[in-house]
């Protein structure tokens, strides 16, 4: 399985992530990447990959100029509402004062000459930023406006990352906990604590930490890109590196100011996972009580729990109860088995298992697609007929399993069933809509 690991020990910014990923491309593919991005149609933007050295490490800086001016501060691009960037020179404040709304940005992204999947990712990331600014300033998303120059810069940073990930096509993306920096950051509204409110909102449910380095290490753009693409945040997993990239900021710190990206193969296929198997035999429990016990085990962290009919002493029919759990959970799970079954003892065995790597994603079926499907049984005036005109898009979760040369995708049945019942469709019709969404345009 192709695995991408992002080391965010010096935070994350859009330009640094893009530069790190660009270094993972073969040398002859980097010029083609910048050419494609420069031809994409981002107004006034020119992108280049330039050599950069931090603390003796040679890496790449992603330079983005808008109408000939580079809008950067401290090596991290900002997305603060209104200012969108902190500028170090007075002239940067004056050369462009026009603003754009999220609606305007949506149209710019829609018109980019990039693959549809890339445009979809760009828009999703920018929406995360706009929603965070909306929350931070207590304004509707429709009232959030961004400086045009800063907007084009951020779109270029986001587009570079989305396009590069489309080209690199990792099966899984893992990132380290994110170093956010410390102290304060200056923006158009005044001096704010690090991480800035919008960044803090985006980083919800993501492991972060501070340190001795003063300044904003993680920007809203960097946070939104991590939020959208990263499968999980953890220490570096067991992997075989194939290539490493260093994306440099412009500011100098005691530590190398860079994001490191490592692309390689996961070792999961060669290394079995150790788990614990707990089991017991019972012959004096009702089916209802056993079902309750199994559900309790699963709700409390069991990897799996199941029963098998068996024959006990004196030929009595019984049930073999088996619970699989991680080794650290063995004691707690044993206690639950003794509490919720009539057994007088629990057997324990250490097992090895090989598993496919699993990732989760979401697919949105637009309401207009649903409205065009002919329902087999939906009379006018029915509840389903009314729901069909609500204008709400429908989201379906799916799980993709990969490894050992195998790839499987399965939609969550509960989501399929909910949409089928709400819109009066068959499950086959819902699956056909999903298939149509994934057909090449």
């Amino acid at each position: 399985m192709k695995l991408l690991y992002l080391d965010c020990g010096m935070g994350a910014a859009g330009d640094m992530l893009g530069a790190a990923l660009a270094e993972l491309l073969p040398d002859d593919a980097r010029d083609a990447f910048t050419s494609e991005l420069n031809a994409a149609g981002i107004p006034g933007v020119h992108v280049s990959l330039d050599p950069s050295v931090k603390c003796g490490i040679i890496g790449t800086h992603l330079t983005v100029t808008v109408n000939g001016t580079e809008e950067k501060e401290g090596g991290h691009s900002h997305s603060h509402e209104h200012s969108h960037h902190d500028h170090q020179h007075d002239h940067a404040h004056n050369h462009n004062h026009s603003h754009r709304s999220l609606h305007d940005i949506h149209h710019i992204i829609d018109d980019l000459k990039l693959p549809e999947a890339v445009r979809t990712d760009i828009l999703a990331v920018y929406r995360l930023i706009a929603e965070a600014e909306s929350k931070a300033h207590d304004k509707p998303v429709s009232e959030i406006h961004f400086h045009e120059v800063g907007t084009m810069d951020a779109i270029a940073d986001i587009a570079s990352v989305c396009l590069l990930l489309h080209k690199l096509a990792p099966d899984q993306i893992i990132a380290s906990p994110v170093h956010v920096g410390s102290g304060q950051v200056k923006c158009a509204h005044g001096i704010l604590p690090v991480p800035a409110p919008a960044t803090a909102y985006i980083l919800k449910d993501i492991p972060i930490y501070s340190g001795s380095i003063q300044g904003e290490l993680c920007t809203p753009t960097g946070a939104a890109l991590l939020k959208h693409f990263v499968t999980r945040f953890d220490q570096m997993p067991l992997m075989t590196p194939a290539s490493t990239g260093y994306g440099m900021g412009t500011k100098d710190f005691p530590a190398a100011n860079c994001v490191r990206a490592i692309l390689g193969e996961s070792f999961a296929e060669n290394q079995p996972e150790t788990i614990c198997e707990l089991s017991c035999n019972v012959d004096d429990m009702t089916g209802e009580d056993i079902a309750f016990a199994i559900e309790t085990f699963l709700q409390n962290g069991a990897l799996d729990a199941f029963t098998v009919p068996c024959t006990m002493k004196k030929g009595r029919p019984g049930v073999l109860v088996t619970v699989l759990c991680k080794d650290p959970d063995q004691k707690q799970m044993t206690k639950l088995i003794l509490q919720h079954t009539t057994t007088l003892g629990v057997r324990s065995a250490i097992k090895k298992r090989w598993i496919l790597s699993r990732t989760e994603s979401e697919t949105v079926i637009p309401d207009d697609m649903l409205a065009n499907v002919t329902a087999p049984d939906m009379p006018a005036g029915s509840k389903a007929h009314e729901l069909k005109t609500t204008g709400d898009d429908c989201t379906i979760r799916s799980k993709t399993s990969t490894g050992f040369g195998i790839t499987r995708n399965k939609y969550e049945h509960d989501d399929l069933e909910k949409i089928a019942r709400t819109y009066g469709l068959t499950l086959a019709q819902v699956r056909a809509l999903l298939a149509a969404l994934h057909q090449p345009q």
Side-chain angles (χ1 to χ4, degrees):
M1 178 179 69
K2 188 188 291 187
L3 174 65
L4 174 65
Y5 184 74
L6 300 173
D7 182 350
C8 301
M10 284 297 289
D15 55 347
M16 296 166 72
L17 287 166
L21 295 173
E23 284 214 333
L24 300 178
L25 292 174
D27 292 341
D28 57 355
R30 295 180 192 178
D31 288 342
F33 155 70
T34 54
S35 296
E36 183 176 359
L37 195 57
N38 285 326
I42 307 174
V45 163
H46 182 268
V47 175
S48 63
L49 297 172
D50 303 312
S52 179
V53 179
K54 297 293 176 185
C55 296
I57 299 174
I58 300 175
T60 295
H61 174 61
L62 179 72
T63 302
V64 179
T65 58
V66 183
N67 299 321
T69 301
E70 184 182 8
E71 296 289 317
K72 299 290 180 187
E73 190 279 325
H76 295 83
S77 59
H78 294 261
S79 298
H80 302 303
E81 186 249 354
H82 296 309
S83 68
H84 208 83
H85 289 269
D86 289 337
H87 307 304
Q88 290 182 311
H89 305 288
D90 289 339
H91 74 267
H93 288 282
N94 300 320
H95 61 76
N96 196 319
H97 288 279
S98 60
H99 293 73
R100 289 187 184 271
S101 67
L102 183 62
H103 181 74
D104 298 327
I105 293 166
H106 193 161
H107 283 297
I108 292 172
I109 295 171
D110 277 346
D111 291 339
L112 295 180
K113 300 178 183 67
L114 293 171
E116 182 179 359
V118 175
R119 296 199 308 271
T120 299
D121 282 331
I122 296 170
L123 182 58
V125 172
Y126 219 103
R127 277 177 174 164
L128 286 174
I129 298 171
E131 288 167 4
E133 297 289 359
S134 169
K135 183 73 174 181
H137 300 288
D138 194 25
K139 293 182 179 180
V141 171
S142 59
E143 294 182 15
I144 297 296
H145 290 79
F146 301 92
H147 264 307
E148 183 174 1
V149 171
T151 295
M152 297 308 110
D153 186 294
I155 290 177
D157 288 343
I158 295 167
S160 70
V161 174
C162 294
L163 179 58
L164 285 163
L165 287 175
H166 181 73
K167 292 178 179 295
L168 295 169
D171 297 309
Q172 188 176 23
I173 303 174
I174 300 174
S176 69
V178 183
H179 187 179
V180 296
S182 62
Q184 297 171 321
V185 61
K186 183 181 178 182
C187 75
H189 300 279
I191 297 174
L192 302 176
V194 171
T199 307
Y201 180 80
I202 297 170
L203 292 172
K204 180 183 177 184
D205 298 325
I206 291 175
I208 64 174
Y209 65 97
S210 184
S212 60
I213 295 178
Q214 295 285 312
E216 180 185 42
L217 297 185
C218 185
T219 68
T221 303
L225 286 163
L226 294 175
K227 183 91 166 187
H228 180 68
F229 284 110
V230 174
T231 307
R232 76 172 192 268
F233 294 82
D234 205 345
Q235 299 302 315
M236 185 186 300
L238 195 62
M239 64 183 295
T240 305
S243 56
T244 302
Y246 293 88
M248 304 302 196
T250 56
K251 195 169 183 178
D252 292 319
F253 294 111
N257 185 20
C258 66
V259 169
R260 180 167 63 176
I262 302 175
L263 187 66
E265 290 295 322
S266 168
F267 237 47
E269 294 182 10
N270 302 318
Q271 300 296 317
E273 179 183 12
T274 300
I275 62 171
C276 181
E277 181 181 277
L278 304 172
S279 61
C280 65
N281 293 19
V282 294
D283 62 359
D284 54 354
M285 291 181 67
T286 66
E288 292 86 351
D289 288 354
I290 291 175
F292 178 81
I294 294 294
E295 187 64 26
T296 300
F297 304 149
L298 293 171
Q299 290 176 352
N300 284 275
L303 299 172
D304 200 359
F306 55 91
T307 62
V308 177
C310 64
T311 301
M312 298 178 62
K313 294 177 182 177
K314 301 179 181 179
R316 295 194 302 267
V319 175
L320 169 63
V321 178
T322 302
V323 179
L324 305 181
C325 67
K326 295 182 178 179
D327 189 57
D329 299 332
Q330 181 178 173
K331 185 174 181 180
Q332 174 63 19
M333 203 59 63
T334 299
K335 182 179 179 180
L336 287 173
I337 294 172
L338 292 170
Q339 286 177 336
H340 291 280
T341 71
T342 57
T343 188
L344 301 179
V346 177
R347 300 181 295 275
S348 173
I350 298 299
K351 301 283 187 177
K352 300 284 187 180
R353 70 168 184 172
W354 281 262
I355 60 174
L356 297 178
S357 298
R358 282 160 282 189
T359 58
E360 293 187 2
S361 60
E362 294 182 346
T363 298
V364 176
I365 303 180
D367 183 70
D368 56 355
M369 284 188 69
L370 286 161
N372 291 330
V373 178
T374 302
D377 184 18
M378 188 189 289
S382 68
K383 183 179 180 182
H385 187 274
E386 294 172 4
L387 288 169
K388 193 172 182 180
T389 61
T390 59
D392 293 331
D393 295 341
C394 294
T395 300
I396 296 182
R397 297 165 294 167
S398 64
K399 292 180 180 178
T400 301
S401 303
T402 57
F404 301 92
I406 299 166
T407 299
R408 295 181 186 143
N409 183 271
K410 184 176 181 180
Y411 293 105
E412 287 287 349
H413 184 79
D414 288 348
D415 292 350
L416 296 175
E417 185 177 294
K418 179 181 178 181
I419 291 177
R421 292 190 186 282
T422 299
Y423 287 81
L425 305 175
T426 65
L427 290 173
Q429 284 178 305
V430 179
R431 291 191 180 99
L433 286 172
L434 290 165
L437 277 173
H438 289 97
Q439 285 180 351
Q441 298 297 317

